[in-house]
Every structure is written in structure tokens, then in C-alpha cells.
Amino acid sequence: MDLQFRKNTKQTYFFSQPHQPFFVLGFINAVVTMAVFALAYQKEIFLSISPISFHLYGLTYLLFTPLFLGFLFTTFSKFTSTKAIEQEVYLRVFGLFYLGAILFLLGTIVSAFLSAVGMGILWVGHFMGFLILLNIYRNSHLNDIQDSFWMIVAMGFGVFSHLFFIFSTVFNAPLNFLAIEIAIYLYLFLLIFSVAQRMIPFFSHSFSEKNKTLLRDIFFLLAIHIVLDSLWLHSALIIDFILAYLIANQIRQWGFSFPEPNPLLFILQIGLYWIPVSFVLGGVTNLIAWIFDVNFLSLDIHVLMLGFAFTVLIGFATRVALGHSGNKMEADRWTQRLFYTTQVVVFLRIFTSFAAALQSNFSLLFTLSVVAWCFVFIVWMIKYFPLLITGKKLTA
């Protein structure tokens, strides 16, 4: 009886807060999708869709999207001063993502039809999550919910790009490039940055006056970037340089101390520093590719997604796991080393792109970057899954 009671208690705790099941699912998906992609890219296994499409879809909608929903289902009500989401509501969305992820991953190996069914279920879950957040936003009585507005806009573009991606994959329609561009810039980047520019300066005790037009300006520049790239590849390089200047200037105005002595905060700030670097690299590599037809293996996108999105993801996931389990908000030595390893992943991916541009054999660098990526997620899972699943208290 006592064993059964403890088992039920752990199960009850696991589903008691939205971020817990979504974070667990997202981190498991991160390792599985990257491992499958690496095997498919090196032709060790064959998938029902192209390895690149699998890579993009898997990381966007099986990793980032569950983590976004888990985070926002936990915090969005606080942002908007509305009541918390009921458990049965967010568990319905979680159930769809759980089922959809299994069918998609299994289907890409054994059946294109099964993979399409999985994508359809994932899209329904994504759309339901968006509607839940939109309803919370509409019920807010706060006067200043500008940040929340842009989070909703970004999530809406995520749903839109998700549908585009499925349509282009299932029907071989020429929409794949547009779906990817929207997903990366108006979904992943805009959503993470909308949260980051609100919370990281707050955590850092920045006294800088809030730039009320920042997100609007970035949104329109990103939209122009997508239009230009869609019409003429590599033509958005001027927009890249403008975005790099705009965001670098904003980071300077926040006045962060460097290096920040708090590791939990410093890792988030590092993520912000990578943004202007990624856009400068985008402008430079696009110019070189335009003139000399050199392939950098999407260096700018990978620096943006790994340097910024991946780094901030690990930082926020750690803060949320610690804070919502009643543990001290501090990073021990293992966590600090894990934070350093995230930056190793970024540099390995940069070296991989430069090796490809120089037409060198980048197989070893590619493998090392995949191993380092999986290492970060696996170590994080070992360290923090007990907090998410059972509410374990860490010892000093």
C-alpha cells in the first residue's frame, strides 16, 4: 500500500505543473531527433522524408514547441494577471504532443503515411495550445501587455509555419523554404526574444528605460528579411546588418555587467550576445555566398538557433526546474560546466560550417557537434528530470 501511494504521489506531482511533462517530452525528443538525423544524414538509416526536413521539423516542433508551451502554460497567466490554466486543459495538449511525436518518429522510419498522421496530430496540439494562450491574452485586464502580444503573434506564426511545413512535405509543394524562414525568424526567434527581452533585463536589475518599439521594429525587419530571401536568395544581407546593430545597441543600453557573477544569469546574457553575432555572420556569409557561390551550411541560422535559442533554452529550463521545485536558484559546479558545454556546441557548429565553406571534410566536426549536443541534453536530463518528475530537493 505504501509503495502504491508513493507511486501515485509521484505521478500526481509530475502532472501538477504544466512545464514538467512538456519539458520531459521536449528534452527526450531533442536527443532522439538529433540521433536519428545524424544517422540519416550519414546514410546509416533511410527516412520517409529528407534528413534536412526531418531535422528542421523535429527540432522546431518536437523540441522547441513543447518547451515553449510548457513554459508559457506556466508563466503566461502571470504575465497577464489571469488565473492559472487548469490541469485537464494543458494535459489534453500534452497528450497530443506525446502521441504525435511517437507517430512522427516511428513513421519517418517505417511509413510516410504514419509520419504525416503524426505531424497532423502535432499540429492540432500546437493549434490548441495557441488558442489557450490567445484566450488568456484576451481575458487580461492589464493596460501594458505589449510583450504578451508579441508572444501571441510569434506563436500564431508558429502554427501557420507548422501547417505550411506539413503541406509542403506531404504534397511536395514549393513552400518548404518559406515555411522554414517563417518558423525560424517569426516563430522561434521572435518568441524566445520576446520572453528574453522581458525577463533577462529584469533578472539583471537593469534600470534602462523600456524600448516600447523594439519588438515591433524587429518584427518588421524580420518580415522584410523573409520576403527578400524568398524573392532572391542571399539578398537580405543589409537587413541582417541592421538587425545586428539594433539588437547590439539595445543590449548595450541594458548595461549588463560582464562577466556576470551569477552563472544562472550569465548563461542567459551570453545567449543575447550571440544574436548580433549571428546577424553579422549572416550578412557577411550571404555576401560571400552571393559573390563566390560558397556554401556555409546555414551558418547564420545555426548560430542564431544554437548560440541564442539553445543557450537561452538551457538557461531558462534550469531556472524553471529549480524555482518551481522549491530548490535554491543557484547553479552548482556540474550545472556551470554544462553551461560551458553549450558554448562548445556552438563553436563546433561554427567550425563545421567553415570547414564546409573551405570544401574540407567536416564529417568529424559534424559528429562531434551532434555528440556534444546530445551530451548537454542527456546530462541535463540526469540532473533535472528528478526535479521535474518527483520534485526532488537537491543537496548543497
Side-chain angles (χ1 to χ4, degrees):
M1 290 289 291
D2 181 59
L3 180 63
Q4 184 64 35
F5 173 76
R6 282 183 290 174
K7 181 180 178 182
N8 291 337
T9 301
K10 290 179 180 179
Q11 290 176 342
T12 301
Y13 179 83
F14 177 53
F15 294 113
S16 64
Q17 300 182 88
H19 70 278
Q20 291 164 183
F22 282 99
F23 278 21
V24 168
L25 178 63
F27 272 75
I28 292 173
N29 286 343
V31 176
V32 174
T33 54
M34 186 59 75
V36 172
F37 164 67
L39 292 172
Y41 191 76
Q42 296 179 329
K43 295 182 170 56
E44 298 294 332
I45 60 175
F46 295 93
L47 305 179
S48 60
I49 62 175
S50 74
I52 299 299
S53 293
F54 174 85
H55 177 60
L56 291 163
Y57 185 87
L59 295 185
T60 303
Y61 303 110
L62 272 70
L63 164 60
F64 282 111
T65 300
L67 294 179
F68 289 164
L69 290 173
F71 177 81
L72 290 175
F73 283 170
T74 302
T75 60
F76 202 65
S77 298
K78 298 176 183 178
F79 292 164
T80 54
S81 290
T82 55
K83 66 178 183 178
I85 301 173
E86 296 180 0
Q87 186 181 83
E88 63 180 19
V89 174
Y90 64 75
L91 284 184
R92 282 198 292 267
V93 178
F94 171 75
L96 289 169
F97 270 88
Y98 178 72
L99 177 61
I102 292 175
L103 293 177
F104 171 75
L105 292 170
L106 182 62
T108 52
I109 297 174
V110 301
S111 167
F113 173 76
L114 197 61
S115 175
V117 171
M119 287 191 286
I121 294 173
L122 287 164
W123 184 83
V124 172
H126 196 173
F127 183 60
M128 284 178 58
F130 167 70
L131 291 180
I132 291 168
L133 295 172
L134 180 62
N135 186 58
I136 292 172
Y137 173 80
R138 286 174 172 171
N139 287 330
S140 175
H141 297 290
L142 295 179
N143 292 325
D144 184 10
I145 51 174
Q146 183 185 48
D147 294 338
S148 301
F149 168 77
W150 288 109
M151 294 176 203
I152 290 294
V153 168
M155 185 60 75
F157 275 104
V159 173
F160 180 69
S161 66
H162 196 163
L163 187 62
F164 255 41
F165 201 106
I166 294 172
F167 187 83
S168 64
T169 301
V170 174
F171 298 102
N172 293 316
L175 299 171
N176 192 264
F177 180 82
L178 185 59
I180 293 168
E181 289 274 303
I182 293 172
I184 289 170
Y185 293 110
L186 294 183
Y187 175 38
L188 297 180
F189 173 70
L190 184 62
L191 181 53
I192 300 173
F193 187 74
S194 296
V195 175
Q197 62 85 40
R198 174 191 177 100
M199 301 188 73
I200 297 176
F202 174 76
F203 294 151
S204 304
H205 304 292
S206 172
F207 297 104
S208 172
E209 184 177 351
K210 185 175 179 61
N211 184 345
K212 295 183 179 180
T213 65
L214 178 66
L215 292 175
R216 183 201 65 188
D217 295 342
I218 288 175
F219 170 79
F220 283 114
L221 286 169
L222 292 172
I224 295 170
H225 181 287
I226 292 170
V227 171
L228 290 175
D229 249 7
S230 299
L231 294 175
W232 192 355
L233 192 61
H234 307 308
S235 64
L237 57 94
I238 299 300
I239 303 298
D240 286 335
F241 288 125
I242 294 172
L243 282 164
Y245 171 78
L246 178 66
I247 296 172
N249 186 56
Q250 181 59 64
I251 294 172
R252 182 188 61 80
Q253 291 181 24
W254 282 325
F256 301 144
S257 58
F258 189 92
E260 165 63 45
N262 182 348
L264 274 175
L265 185 53
F266 189 41
I267 192 64
L268 295 175
Q269 293 177 357
I270 288 173
L272 289 176
Y273 297 140
W274 276 115
I275 301 173
V277 172
S278 69
F279 282 113
V280 168
L281 285 173
V284 172
T285 56
N286 274 313
L287 179 60
I288 295 172
W290 193 2
I291 298 173
F292 300 105
D293 193 26
V294 177
N295 184 3
F296 284 92
L297 294 181
S298 303
L299 173 62
D300 54 333
I301 291 174
H302 281 92
V303 172
L304 186 64
M305 291 295 101
L306 288 174
F308 171 59
F310 169 63
T311 301
V312 169
L313 180 154
I314 294 295
F316 269 126
T318 304
R319 290 186 67 95
V320 172
L322 288 169
H324 288 265
S325 60
N327 283 281
K328 289 184 178 180
M329 196 73 74
E330 59 185 25
D332 59 17
R333 289 184 180 179
W334 274 102
T335 302
Q336 292 179 42
R337 290 168 183 162
L338 189 66
F339 289 164
Y340 301 146
T341 309
T342 62
Q343 302 312 290
V344 173
V345 176
V346 182
F347 280 106
L348 282 172
R349 188 56 187 76
I350 292 173
F351 295 149
T352 301
S353 280
F354 279 118
L358 296 171
Q359 297 184 340
S360 301
N361 187 344
F362 58 87
S363 178
L364 177 60
L365 286 169
F366 172 80
T367 301
L368 287 174
S369 64
V370 170
V371 170
W373 162 280
C374 292
F375 174 81
V376 169
F377 279 98
I378 291 171
V379 173
W380 196 97
M381 289 157 64
I382 293 171
K383 177 76 175 179
Y384 291 103
F385 269 21
L387 280 67
L388 298 172
I389 297 171
T390 67
K392 177 184 176 181
K393 297 296 182 284
L394 299 177
T395 56

